[in-house]
Amino acid sequence: MNFKEKTIVSGSLNRIRRSPRKMRLVVDIIRNKEIKNALNILKYSKKHNISISLRKLLLSLLSNCKKKYIEDDFDQKLFYIKEIRVNQGRTLKRLRPVPQGRGHRIRKRSSNVLITLVERKYM
């Protein structure tokens, strides 16, 4: 089946207080999926805190797409996630006191997510 791809919307979410390594576990599951399937996967994911952030971002992208391209034939089923990347964001450095007057460094990592949605048009 031949189809033509047209990049529609891309969006990002920065400084999510989750480590990139944990975010990538969820992101790898929804990569190259249709929007409807991805939203269902995120809804029932066991990584609840991470999936909430990604689900909000996907719903926001769909809403922006509807506003940007006001069309009567807008169909959510034609959209799929072409690209989704998780990069490391800012790291907060904290100290935890340990015996004998020392301190161990605690790194609180954050991540940045970039999503590109594509509309698939069948010919």
Side-chain angles (χ1 to χ4, degrees), residues 4 7 12 14 38 45 53-54 60-61 68-69 102-103 115:
K4 181 178 163 184
T7 303
S12 62
N14 295 328
S45 173
S53 304
L54 291 175
S60 173
L61 285 175
K68 187 175 180 182
Y69 300 98
R102 295 187 210 132
I115 297 179

Side-chain angles (χ1 to χ4, degrees), residues 54-68:
L54 291 175
R55 189 171 160 81
K56 282 183 182 180
L57 179 58
L58 276 177
L59 291 173
S60 173
L61 285 175
L62 275 179
S63 174
N64 291 344
C65 185
K66 285 180 186 175
K67 288 179 184 176
K68 187 175 180 182

Side-chain angles (χ1 to χ4, degrees), residues 27 30-31 54 81-86 113-116:
V27 165
I30 64 170
R31 185 173 283 127
L54 291 175
I81 300 169
K82 168 120 183 179
E83 179 185 10
I84 182 165
R85 285 185 294 170
V86 178
V113 180
L114 175 75
I115 297 179
T116 303

Side-chain angles (χ1 to χ4, degrees), residues 20 51 123:
S51 62
M123 303 170 100

